[in-house]
Amino acid sequence: MHEAVRCATVINAPGLRLEAAEQVSEGHIVATTSDGTLLSLKAPEPSHSVGPWQVVQAVKSFSRKPVTYLRYLQSHGYVLTQADDGVGLFELATLGGGGNTPLQPSQPPSLRLVGKTKNPTCFCVNRQETLLCVCTKKKLLIFQFFEGEFNELNEFPLSEAVKRVEWCGEYLIVAQKREYQLFNLKTGTYSEVIPTGKSTPSPKILQLPYNELLLLKDNVGVFVGLDGKLTRKFGVSWSDAPQHMQVIDPHAIAVFGNLIEVRSLHRESSHAVVQTIPLKGVTFCSSNVPGGRGSLLLGSQSSIHMLTAVPLLEQITQLGKSGEFEEALRLCDSITDEDHVWRLTKSSLHQRYGWALFARKMWGEAVRQFSLSSKSPRHVLRLFPSVLPEAARAAVASLPKLPVLKDCRFPERSEASDAPAFRALLPYLEEQRRRIKEICKDGGGRDRMEHNRRNSFGALENGDGLIEDAMEEGWGGVDLIQLVDTAILHCYLVLESWDALLAFLRADHHVDSAEAEQVLQMKGHYIELVLLFRGLGRHHEALGMLKSLVIRPDTFQVPPHETTINGIKGTNASIEYLLGLGEDQDGLVLEHSKWIAKFDPEGAFRVLTNRYPGLSPETALAHLQENAPALRNRYLEFLLTREADDRLAHWRDKLAVLLLDEVVAGGESRRVRLREILSEPLGLSPEWILSQLPDGGLLEERALVLRKMGRHAEALEIYVGDLGSEEMALAYCEDVYTAAAAAAAEAESGVEGGDSGVYLDLVRTLLRGCEGGGERLRRVLDLLVARCDRIDIAQVLGILPEGAGLGEVLPFLEASFSHNLQSRKKLSILKSLTKQEALQVRGELVSHQKQSVVVTPESVCKVCYKRIQNSVFVLDKEDGRLTHFVCHRRRNQQQQGGVAAAGRMG
């Protein structure tokens, strides 16, 4: 409990027989008595002094009937009254004590009754004070204020007397005997809201400052919205059914027979009594405070008391001192005028509330309160010294302990029971890390980081005053981001969040390197230590550790952790590390790819081929020559796949040499690839390659080399004589002829066909040793018929054996003559077509040369419509009209300018 409102006596005069009172300004109260007298009370001077108010004017016979209720219309300067003879109003300016001009006795305030309002049961005014609702025993009347009067707008019949009415947006909430109902003024229909309860002697309806209403049901205040529906799952529970109920935001006031109860309107504490004030004999209460703020008048027949709200900051201070932080923070949330003092107060409350929760080991809620505070993360890290770097731990240990935490043990990383504390701390640290990085990105980050480093705690509020960090540098000179990142590292280790730890170390971080290295090594997290070294640029140490983990894992003082064992995966970790190094680390790549080649040649090949930017080909080949000769051929094959390399011929020559050496040494499996390389253009001398081939071996390769030398007869002799394959010889001739034809076409020499001499060489080779007829001569003649278009008939007749009969040669002669005849006929047709095309072109030329234009004296320009006469002109091909050359050029320039302007606009 705390002091939320203060009660002061305004006037105490036995025998006054007061009926109602209303405060119309800070220093002015209007009251009525049972004999119809109107009183004007004024506060003592100065206004802040303590003492009874003075009656400055009494207007007797103001009303024929006792006025039982007053309502001040602040926006209009009028006061509404309720008596048995009706609802009336009078102008406040005519009453003494409320203004600077003294009242003239001849001008007393005049009470004017609103028509049709005799015997009213209740009335209410909307928030804008423009509409008045009056309920009589049988009618509900609506009036509108205009020029000092209320004019009737509408009238609705009532089947049951209304005990209380209040505006609810565009609707009315009326309280009858058994229930509260929402009345629609447009349709005149009712809808039930809630029952009034069994023990409610008089229903109560209060307007709240945030578009809600509070309805009394038995001893509970129920919250409803402007649509008549419940807005909260809780209500304000009173100790009994109150006689009167009002609101001074953020509290509700209830008047009982001998005391006043003050309760909070907030959900969490709506059941708790905030304050009780002993006060007896209260018979009336002033109208609902506009907006729920200000003061409240309570009165009896002989006295008036004023309830005023204690300033919220003062209430918050009371609650903070008594340790009621939740209620204090709720009061902070109800303050609308947020200023610097309010922000500091709320931040300090969150901080102190967090300390109190921390002392009770409510880690999650404590850290949540710290996160709501605007204090630096150092305030939280001070409570977790075991996650700080060594220099920061020493600095924190030298600080005086907070009084609220003097008997509290700080969480330790080594204690398993303290794991929930670090689990609660981790999300807070991650969020603070994100904010710090955003500050650095927004500009001025270096200055802010320096500021955070130098200003340790700032000021810490507690019950004994202020505690400040007296160290100039604070926290051993460790940056704030470094403190946070190091603490995050420790939390991951305590909570065994291995995946998160690996992701954290792979990303950009600012952990204290010495602290991180020590703790990771002590726990055997070597793969995480490698990531730390990588982030620090200590690649030599990182790769050395990876090598030891693969080759000599038993040499570590602390056995590798399970995460390290799973993360190594043989040489893969080392390979991935080398692939990520820049070109300035080529030496490390060469050094560590040596041992990788011994254990994993495929992995070493990945390092040389997948790294970008990689080693120069010369360096890589020399490295492979020394450490992994078997990989040289694969590396050269890889170089040949790079289309942008301008040294493809050079790498092809090197590959040819290596393949040749390998095949000569007995590598039969590589002969197919060697023949493919020999078939491609090479920079090597064919004579040198031929000299490297063994005598009597590698015949197909020898034939390919002879082809490069143009020695087709010898190559064909190998295919026919040594290999005994006429098919291979024929295929050889086809390749040579096709290649020669393609070269001639590319050179556009005009020579059709390829090298026909290779077929003559094949015929000579086949006829060698063929005397007279026989099967071979028949196959030769079949070849001549099939390839008659590629063999010269005269040369063939000169090399045929003398024993060949005319009948045997006749098919070849017929095929050859037929082919020649077709060729001559084709050439003749092409000649005729070419001649015809030439004649057509010449005719078109003559036609264009004979073109003429007749210019008469009447010929005018199609642009300027002036005569052409002897001016230079242009003939428009579309319509045949003439245009001055100058006009034609000007028009073209204008069109081009318009296109350019449209392009710029687009």
Side-chain angles (χ1 to χ4, degrees):
M1 297 177 66
H2 70 282
E3 186 181 26
V5 296
R6 294 191 176 103
C7 183
T9 301
V10 173
I11 188 172
N12 187 8
L16 274 179
R17 294 181 297 171
L18 296 167
E19 291 287 340
E22 179 80 339
Q23 185 174 7
V24 295
S25 67
E26 185 178 357
H28 189 194
I29 294 176
V30 176
T32 61
T33 62
S34 60
D35 60 358
T37 301
L38 178 66
L39 302 178
S40 177
L41 288 79
K42 188 176 182 181
E45 296 291 346
S47 59
H48 62 270
S49 63
V50 179
W53 290 44
Q54 301 296 322
V55 177
V56 296
Q57 186 179 1
V59 182
K60 295 184 178 181
S61 301
F62 173 74
S63 172
R64 290 183 299 173
K65 300 288 185 178
V67 175
T68 58
Y69 187 66
L70 296 171
R71 174 68 162 84
Y72 176 50
L73 304 179
Q74 184 177 2
S75 58
H76 304 302
Y78 283 82
V79 179
L80 285 170
T81 66
Q82 177 180 335
D84 289 344
D85 55 355
V87 175
L89 77 159
F90 68 91
E91 190 173 1
L92 184 63
T94 62
L95 184 64
N100 298 325
T101 304
L103 179 68
Q104 300 297 328
S106 60
Q107 298 176 347
S110 175
L111 180 64
R112 291 172 291 167
L113 295 177
V114 180
K116 298 185 179 182
T117 61
K118 190 175 182 179
N119 297 319
T121 58
C122 56
F123 75 86
C124 65
V125 182
N126 64 348
R127 288 181 182 270
Q128 295 77 24
E129 297 181 344
T130 57
L131 295 176
L132 169 67
C133 173
V134 180
C135 294
T136 64
K137 292 182 179 180
K138 296 183 179 182
K139 297 179 182 179
L140 188 150
L141 303 165
I142 306 297
F143 301 89
Q144 183 176 21
F145 186 85
F146 181 72
E147 295 183 353
E149 295 182 354
F150 278 101
N151 302 313
E152 184 180 355
L153 289 180
N154 212 336
E155 177 182 325
F156 300 93
L158 293 175
S159 60
E160 183 180 347
V162 174
K163 296 184 177 181
R164 188 76 64 180
V165 65
E166 191 60 71
W167 284 95
C168 183
E170 298 178 353
Y171 304 95
L172 287 170
I173 284 191
V174 296
Q176 296 176 327
K177 185 176 180 180
R178 292 185 176 85
E179 60 186 3
Y180 294 95
Q181 291 186 324
L182 189 69
F183 181 64
N184 190 326
L185 293 172
K186 295 181 179 180
T187 61
T189 58
Y190 294 87
S191 57
E192 182 180 354
V193 180
I194 59 171
T196 57
K198 298 179 180 180
S199 60
T200 305
S202 176
K204 304 288 188 298
I205 306 174
L206 297 180
Q207 280 194 357
L208 300 180
Y210 19 80
N211 291 329
E212 280 185 309
L213 290 92
L214 188 65
L215 311 182
L216 181 63
K217 177 185 178 183
D218 293 329
N219 66 327
V220 177
V222 180
F223 296 93
V224 298
L226 298 183
D227 55 357
K229 296 181 180 179
L230 300 182
T231 57
R232 309 188 194 182
K233 296 181 179 180
F234 64 95
V236 181
S237 300
W238 305 108
S239 57
D240 198 358
Q243 299 174 1
H244 303 281
M245 186 174 69
Q246 283 293 359
V247 171
I248 300 180
D249 191 49
H251 298 101
I253 312 295
V255 179
F256 299 95
N258 57 355
L259 61 84
I260 299 172
E261 243 181 48
V262 182
R263 293 179 183 264
S264 173
L265 291 171
H266 296 295
R267 174 178 183 176
E268 291 84 354
S269 59
S270 61
H271 63 280
V273 178
V274 174
Q275 183 184 3
T276 58
I277 302 173
L279 189 63
K280 297 181 180 180
V282 176
T283 58
F284 64 85
C285 179
S286 64
S287 65
N288 189 22
V289 181
R293 302 184 183 275
S295 58
L296 180 66
L297 298 180
L298 303 175
S300 61
Q301 287 189 350
S302 60
S303 62
I304 298 175
H305 304 277
M306 179 182 291
L307 296 183
T308 56
V310 176
L312 287 178
L313 284 179
E314 186 176 335
Q315 295 185 48
I316 292 168
T317 302
Q318 295 178 38
L319 292 168
K321 288 181 179 179
S322 61
E324 298 181 53
F325 298 108
E326 293 184 58
E327 184 64 24
L329 288 169
R330 278 189 286 271
L331 287 182
C332 280
D333 293 336
S334 65
I335 297 178
T336 57
D337 300 329
E338 300 178 1
D339 56 8
H340 180 65
V341 176
W342 174 86
R343 285 189 290 271
L344 288 179
T345 302
K346 187 174 183 182
S347 177
S348 177
L349 283 172
H350 284 299
Q351 179 86 358
R352 292 159 59 190
Y353 188 26
W355 289 340
L357 294 169
F358 188 88
R360 295 189 298 224
K361 295 187 178 182
M362 299 174 65
W363 315 115
E365 185 59 26
V367 173
R368 191 181 77 85
Q369 294 299 323
F370 292 141
S371 66
L372 295 173
S373 171
S374 60
K375 303 291 186 181
S376 167
R378 291 188 175 94
H379 293 286
V380 182
L381 291 175
R382 179 184 184 181
L383 308 178
F384 296 85
S386 63
V387 300
L388 297 175
E390 185 176 354
R393 279 199 299 271
V396 171
S398 65
L399 296 174
K401 202 166 187 179
L402 298 171
V404 69
L405 300 175
K406 61 181 179 180
D407 297 327
C408 178
R409 181 185 65 82
F410 293 141
E412 291 290 338
R413 292 185 285 114
S414 57
E415 295 290 338
S417 59
D418 291 337
F422 296 101
R423 185 173 291 106
L425 176 65
L426 181 59
Y428 167 79
L429 293 175
E430 291 174 334
E431 175 62 19
Q432 294 300 318
R433 183 176 192 267
R434 183 188 64 80
R435 292 182 179 178
I436 295 172
K437 295 178 81 66
E438 286 180 356
I439 290 174
C440 295
K441 290 180 181 179
D442 290 341
R446 179 176 298 177
D447 296 338
R448 296 196 183 189
M449 293 288 288
E450 182 66 17
H451 174 77
N452 286 331
R453 183 175 71 86
R454 293 182 176 275
N455 295 338
S456 175
F457 289 112
L460 303 180
E461 290 189 11
N462 57 28
D464 300 329
L466 298 177
I467 298 177
E468 295 186 359
D469 183 8
M471 299 177 63
E472 181 180 356
E473 291 296 325
W475 298 81
V478 183
D479 288 342
L480 177 59
I481 184 64
Q482 198 171 10
L483 292 171
V484 172
D485 278 6
T486 305
I488 290 175
L489 173 72
H490 281 297
C491 288
Y492 284 145
L493 289 171
V494 171
L495 301 175
E496 299 183 355
S497 301
W498 310 131
D499 293 339
L501 176 60
L502 289 172
F504 176 72
L505 291 173
R506 285 193 181 100
D508 185 24
H509 59 80
H510 302 83
V511 298
D512 183 272
S513 58
E515 178 78 12
E517 182 177 355
Q518 180 183 5
V519 68
L520 291 175
Q521 201 157 13
M522 288 175 57
K523 292 182 174 292
H525 288 276
Y526 298 112
I527 194 68
E528 292 83 353
L529 191 56
V530 167
L531 293 175
L532 176 67
F533 288 158
R534 180 174 184 173
L536 297 172
R538 295 161 61 177
H539 304 300
H540 184 75
E541 297 176 61
L543 288 167
M545 182 169 291
L546 288 173
K547 178 181 178 181
S548 300
L549 287 169
V550 175
I551 300 176
R552 299 182 300 275
D554 54 345
T555 58
F556 288 90
Q557 187 175 1
V558 179
H561 190 269
E562 181 182 356
T563 58
T564 298
I565 298 173
N566 295 335
I568 289 297
K569 297 179 181 178
T571 59
N572 283 343
S574 301
I575 293 170
E576 295 297 331
Y577 196 109
L578 292 174
L579 290 176
L581 293 179
E583 56 184 344
D584 56 335
Q585 303 295 333
D586 288 350
L588 283 174
V589 175
L590 291 173
E591 177 184 353
H592 287 275
S593 60
K594 293 179 182 179
W595 69 267
I596 292 177
K598 296 179 181 179
F599 291 89
D600 183 10
E602 186 67 28
F605 183 76
R606 283 176 53 202
V607 172
L608 296 178
T609 56
N610 294 353
R611 180 169 166 262
Y612 183 83
L615 297 171
S616 65
E618 291 80 3
T619 304
L621 285 171
H623 179 67
L624 291 175
Q625 174 68 31
E626 181 179 354
N627 299 283
L631 295 177
R632 290 179 300 168
N633 288 355
R634 285 191 60 192
Y635 184 74
L636 287 170
E637 295 279 10
F638 163 74
L639 293 179
L640 291 178
T641 61
R642 301 193 304 186
E643 297 180 358
D645 198 333
D646 55 355
R647 304 180 64 190
L648 289 178
H650 176 70
W651 307 130
R652 193 178 295 111
D653 291 347
K654 282 187 171 296
L655 179 59
V657 173
L658 291 176
L659 289 172
L660 184 60
D661 292 341
E662 186 175 346
V663 170
V664 169
E668 289 292 327
S669 61
R670 304 293 291 167
R671 288 189 62 184
V672 175
R673 181 54 181 157
L674 176 60
R675 287 196 292 270
E676 293 175 356
I677 290 294
L678 292 177
S679 300
E680 298 175 1
L682 294 176
L684 297 174
S685 169
E687 290 79 3
W688 179 85
I689 298 176
L690 194 62
S691 67
Q692 302 299 311
L693 296 176
D695 295 336
L698 304 180
L699 297 177
E700 293 183 54
E701 290 78 2
R702 181 180 294 275
L704 291 174
V705 176
L706 291 172
R707 172 182 172 179
K708 289 182 176 293
M709 300 171 66
R711 295 160 61 177
H712 303 304
E714 297 179 46
L716 291 170
E717 183 62 35
I718 292 175
Y719 286 121
V720 176
D722 298 333
L723 296 175
S725 175
E726 295 182 8
E727 290 78 9
M728 294 177 66
L730 185 59
Y732 178 89
C733 294
E734 292 285 343
D735 290 343
V736 172
Y737 183 88
T738 303
E746 185 177 355
E748 297 182 356
S749 60
V751 178
E752 294 186 3
D755 186 1
S756 59
V758 68
Y759 282 100
L760 289 173
D761 291 335
L762 176 59
V763 171
R764 291 190 184 97
T765 302
L766 292 174
L767 291 176
R768 190 173 294 118
C770 177
E771 300 296 338
E775 180 64 24
R776 175 170 290 191
L777 178 60
R778 187 186 61 78
R779 292 201 302 273
V780 170
L781 292 175
D782 291 341
L783 171 64
L784 292 175
V785 172
R787 295 292 183 268
C788 64
D789 58 330
R790 301 182 180 183
I791 303 175
D792 183 81
I793 185 173
Q795 295 181 358
V796 168
L797 292 176
I799 62 176
L800 286 175
E802 294 180 359
L806 182 59
E808 295 175 318
V809 181
L810 186 59
F812 166 66
L813 295 176
E814 290 177 349
S816 180
F817 287 145
S818 175
H819 170 71
N820 289 338
L821 183 61
Q822 291 177 1
S823 297
R824 291 193 60 172
K825 185 177 181 180
K826 178 181 177 181
L827 290 175
S828 176
I829 294 173
L830 288 175
K831 182 179 179 182
S832 300
L833 291 174
T834 304
K835 185 176 181 180
Q836 185 67 28
E837 185 179 0
L839 292 174
Q840 184 178 356
V841 171
R842 181 178 294 275
E844 291 180 1
L845 175 62
V846 171
S847 175
H848 284 290
Q849 288 176 343
K850 289 183 178 181
Q851 186 176 3
S852 62
V853 177
V854 178
V855 180
T856 65
E858 290 78 18
S859 300
V860 294
C861 174
K862 66 176 291 186
V863 176
C864 66
Y865 295 100
K866 294 181 181 180
R867 293 184 178 180
I868 298 294
Q869 296 182 351
N870 296 328
S871 302
V872 180
F873 61 86
V874 177
L875 177 65
D876 193 331
K877 294 182 179 180
E878 295 181 358
D879 55 7
R881 299 177 63 184
L882 304 180
T883 306
H884 286 121
F885 177 75
V886 176
C887 297
H888 173 75
R889 183 173 59 184
R890 185 184 300 116
R891 184 177 60 178
N892 288 345
Q893 291 175 350
Q894 291 175 352
Q895 291 176 351
Q896 293 175 359
V899 172
R904 288 192 297 270
M905 292 176 64

